[in-house]
Amino acid sequence: PRLCVVGSGPAGFYTAQHLLKHHDRAQVDIYEKLPVPFGLVRFGVAPDHPEVKNVINTFTQTARSDRCSYYGNVAVGRDVTVRELQQAYHAVVLSYGAEDSRALGIPGENLAGVYSARAFVGWYNGLPENRHLKPDLSCETALVLGHGNVALDVARILLSPLDLLRKTDITASSLAALACSRVKRVWLVGRRGPLQVSFTNKELREMINLPGARPVLDPADFTGLANAVKDAPRPRKRLTELMIKTALEQPAQETAAAREWGLRFQRSPQEVLPTADGTRARGVRVALTLGAPRRPSAGSGDSAQAVPTGEVEELEGGLVLSSIGYRSLPLDPAVPFDPRHGVIPNSSGRVRGAPGLYCSGWVKRGPTGVIMSTMNDSFDTAQAVLEDLQAGVLDVAASREGFGAVGSILRSRGVRPVSFSDWEKIDAAEVARGKAAGKPREKIVDPEEMLQLIGH
């Protein structure tokens, strides 16, 4: 069987890995719109979390398999359609992730000084589309709207000592911008209460222990919560206990930290407030909310609704980062898409009403979970493909040309794919540049420069 995977992030690579491992004759081609692979592992994981990027070693083993080929610099939906892929392959798996952010949907969100956390992360991680972001870091207070791991990531990067960041693969231009940053205070603002935060214990602990930055948590926010979490699942209990302990310990550690950060609960953003001349953000008006129950709900507490009390408050801050989630976009008119949930309608990864078409990762189940959950999800989709091969649902008797057919379509449209060995040249150049600067790598952020480097 000739199989194809669209997207080379964790979902794409784990799907390919499972197919190759459990079918000894399957051939898998991976298509990626950027010249470089690995998706969110390269562009989403924080630069100071290098251990999370170790999965790249596994993905590289998969890509080097003689039954796997990587074709970068090919935008499916533009350079080649999904229908054309379906004619060339026995099965097509869409694993292209979530390449947009959820909008706040409030007045003022388009003012200068307001950015999505996704674009901000893309900027410091070298995602080509965000390389020209130039966030304005000239104010002292930043407001991050959201209480997830990405919100903590951006807060940590804003407040981290430069010496820590210099040793990472953060991009040279964002390091230079952070060196001139005047941000010394970050408030993370959430609509619901302490029991509904969706960051993890590890990320919170790391933030609390950040050198030179003091956590500011209001003990009043945690009154009575120690009792409420007694019977909660262990991760939620530990997370809440860590917040309570940090809130109560503060008076003892009123050391002169140059920077500070804190969590603001029960505050729902109503409007980004403009400066007097109307050109940029100066803060956010929030409605105070009730109704997030003072007891932990299952998982991330999504069932807890934030109900406005009628009171409002203005939070000052000239940098506003919206971290309320990523969003998948439709890829091709031929593929069913549910815009409300931002997913491809599917059952166990089989795209509804489209035999031979599958999906895995965030475009399958929504933008939640860590690399581990994406791995399990992708294995499930790959298993569905293998079952359909076994059951004869996919007709392997009909021969398919795979890249043979797609390659000539791309040539006719003037598109030159990037191979995995091309990527390895880019990789080597980045590592060499990094070495010269005392970093693990210096990412190339301009796709044109990547293509020049490999002689395209």
Side-chain angles (χ1 to χ4, degrees), residues 41-105:
V41 182
R42 178 177 164 99
F43 297 119
V45 173
D48 55 352
H49 287 173
E51 71 290 348
V52 183
K53 301 184 191 192
N54 290 341
V55 293
I56 284 178
N57 302 330
T58 316
F59 298 164
T60 298
Q61 291 314 112
T62 299
R64 286 180 178 157
S65 152
D66 52 9
R67 292 185 289 121
C68 184
S69 299
Y70 167 83
Y71 300 103
N73 199 36
V74 176
V76 172
R78 186 191 66 204
D79 299 335
V80 57
T81 68
V82 170
R83 285 249 158 81
E84 287 166 333
L85 290 178
Q86 286 186 280
Q87 282 155 10
Y89 292 93
H90 293 107
V92 174
V93 186
L94 303 172
S95 311
Y96 61 87
E99 47 192 345
D100 196 13
S101 309
R102 285 175 53 193
L104 286 164

Side-chain angles (χ1 to χ4, degrees), residues 315-330:
L315 300 175
E316 292 297 317
L319 172 65
V320 179
L321 293 164
S322 154
S323 184
I324 58 168
Y326 288 26
R327 193 170 74 103
S328 294
L329 298 172

Side-chain angles (χ1 to χ4, degrees), residues 9 21 26 44 78 114 353 359:
K21 183 176 172 186
R78 186 191 66 204
V114 183
C359 56

Side-chain angles (χ1 to χ4, degrees), residues 87-371:
Q87 282 155 10
Y89 292 93
H90 293 107
V92 174
V93 186
L94 303 172
S95 311
Y96 61 87
E99 47 192 345
D100 196 13
S101 309
R102 285 175 53 193
L104 286 164
I106 59 173
E109 72 176 304
N110 298 321
L111 286 168
V114 183
Y115 308 91
S116 73
R118 183 190 187 283
F120 190 74
V121 169
W123 168 71
Y124 64 65
N125 270 335
L127 183 61
E129 69 187 69
N130 300 128
R131 68 188 187 276
H132 302 305
L133 192 70
K134 296 194 174 44
D136 184 342
L137 307 177
S138 62
C139 60
E140 291 194 350
T141 304
L143 301 172
V144 179
L145 308 179
H147 277 169
N149 279 343
V150 175
L152 282 186
D153 276 346
V154 297
R156 197 178 65 252
I157 295 295
L158 282 168
L159 297 177
S160 280
L162 283 175
D163 289 352
L164 287 183
L165 294 178
R166 279 197 186 99
K167 301 184 185 80
T168 72
D169 68 359
I170 192 167
T171 64
S173 58
S174 47
L175 192 59
L178 287 162
C180 306
S181 167
R182 293 176 55 195
V183 175
K184 58 179 188 183
R185 195 177 302 108
V186 179
W187 301 124
L188 296 110
V189 184
R191 288 180 303 122
R192 295 177 300 179
L195 296 176
Q196 285 79 36
V197 296
S198 53
F199 45 72
T200 54
N201 209 48
K202 174 183 174 294
E203 298 266 348
L204 178 65
R205 187 176 301 282
E206 193 178 5
M207 192 76 201
I208 290 167
N209 295 330
L210 188 66
R214 188 172 67 97
V216 181
L217 302 189
D218 182 353
D221 284 331
F222 302 94
T223 317
L225 287 195
N227 260 341
V229 290
K230 273 212 307 276
D231 306 318
R234 189 157 174 265
R236 175 65 63 188
K237 183 170 184 242
R238 283 177 54 216
L239 183 61
T240 309
E241 285 168 351
L242 179 58
M243 287 190 281
I244 295 170
K245 177 171 177 274
T246 307
L248 297 178
E249 270 177 3
Q250 276 157 25
Q253 40 158 292
E254 291 286 348
T255 44
R259 299 174 165 195
E260 61 181 19
W261 64 275
L263 300 170
R264 294 280 178 272
F265 300 105
Q266 314 280 65
R267 284 162 171 80
S268 183
Q270 300 288 290
E271 182 184 359
V272 179
L273 301 166
T275 47
D277 63 4
T279 57
R280 44 173 310 107
R282 66 167 174 88
V284 176
R285 179 182 296 121
V286 293
L288 304 192
T289 62
L290 282 174
R294 309 288 284 173
R295 57 185 175 70
S297 31
S300 60
D302 278 342
S303 54
Q305 290 304 311
V307 183
T309 60
E311 282 182 76
V312 293
E313 174 181 282
E314 292 191 1
L315 300 175
E316 292 297 317
L319 172 65
V320 179
L321 293 164
S322 154
S323 184
I324 58 168
Y326 288 26
R327 193 170 74 103
S328 294
L329 298 172
L331 182 73
D332 185 305
V335 181
F337 190 78
D338 173 352
R340 202 165 84 81
H341 298 103
V343 293
I344 294 172
N346 71 90
S347 136
S348 310
R350 295 174 177 92
V351 177
R352 297 220 175 112
L357 200 54
Y358 302 80
C359 56
S360 69
W362 283 5
V363 75
K364 169 184 169 185
R365 63 192 163 89
T368 55
V370 291
I371 290 174

Side-chain angles (χ1 to χ4, degrees), residues 413-435:
R413 291 174 190 161
V415 179
R416 288 183 68 183
V418 168
S419 69
F420 200 76
S421 54
D422 287 334
W423 147 247
E424 293 187 308
K425 287 177 199 153
I426 298 169
D427 180 40
E430 290 186 341
V431 171
R433 291 178 189 193
K435 197 172 180 185

